Amino acid sequence: KNNKRNKEKAIEVITNILAAFHKKEYAKVLEYVDESAIDDLPALFECIDETLKENGFDAIDEYGVPCNFHPKYEYSQLSVYEYADHSGFTVDYEMTSNSELVDLTLQLKFLYTNSGFHIILLNVEPQ
């Protein structure tokens, strides 16, 4: 039950962040997290744009866009890792553009609080 709720919350946050990425409204990302572990967010967003350009892509896909893998295989873009001490979980989301993987992984941390979650933008990292 908890895992299902965690995944739903993670998907809700990822959906909002990816929509902001898709529209290149990067500043909006901070509206969906409580804090960022990244000090230089403009540099991060520049890096995302550079990676897209280098690979001939225009924008990060929004959540739920079907992903084309070659060859076709079962693949989960979303991975949830529960902490052993039950203090929270981290989420990795493999981002796509034009339904192709772009070698960028959105990483978020969700810590349990009395009122729900404390959400931290950990990183967007090249794989």
Side-chain angles (χ1 to χ4, degrees), residues 11 20 27-28 34 36 39-40 45 55 60 69 80 94 109 111 122:
I11 288 171
K28 278 198 167 172
D34 297 302
S36 171
D39 293 330
D40 192 352
F45 301 143
N55 294 291
I60 295 291
F69 295 107
V80 179
E94 315 290 342
K109 180 191 279 191
L111 296 175
L122 287 179

Side-chain angles (χ1 to χ4, degrees), residues 25-118:
E25 294 174 347
Y26 293 125
K28 278 198 167 172
V29 169
L30 293 177
E31 294 175 19
Y32 308 117
V33 296
D34 297 302
E35 68 176 281
S36 171
I38 305 155
D39 293 330
D40 192 352
L41 282 171
L44 171 72
F45 301 143
E46 212 171 279
C47 171
I48 293 172
D49 278 342
E50 280 304 306
T51 303
L52 289 172
K53 265 187 222 127
E54 282 170 22
N55 294 291
F57 295 120
D58 46 2
I60 295 291
D61 287 336
E62 293 186 78
Y63 186 82
V65 170
C67 197
N68 302 322
F69 295 107
H70 309 287
K72 284 226 177 283
Y73 59 95
E74 196 53 43
Y75 181 82
S76 174
Q77 286 178 272
L78 178 66
S79 305
V80 179
Y81 305 98
E82 189 75 36
Y83 291 135
D85 66 1
H86 306 295
S87 62
F89 59 97
T90 57
V91 176
D92 286 356
Y93 182 83
E94 315 290 342
M95 295 191 290
T96 61
S97 180
N98 306 344
S99 295
E100 303 288 342
L101 281 175
V102 290
D103 288 337
L104 291 171
T105 303
L106 173 63
Q107 298 177 319
L108 299 167
K109 180 191 279 191
F110 293 76
L111 296 175
Y112 301 127
T113 66
N114 291 335
S115 57
F117 298 99
H118 182 80

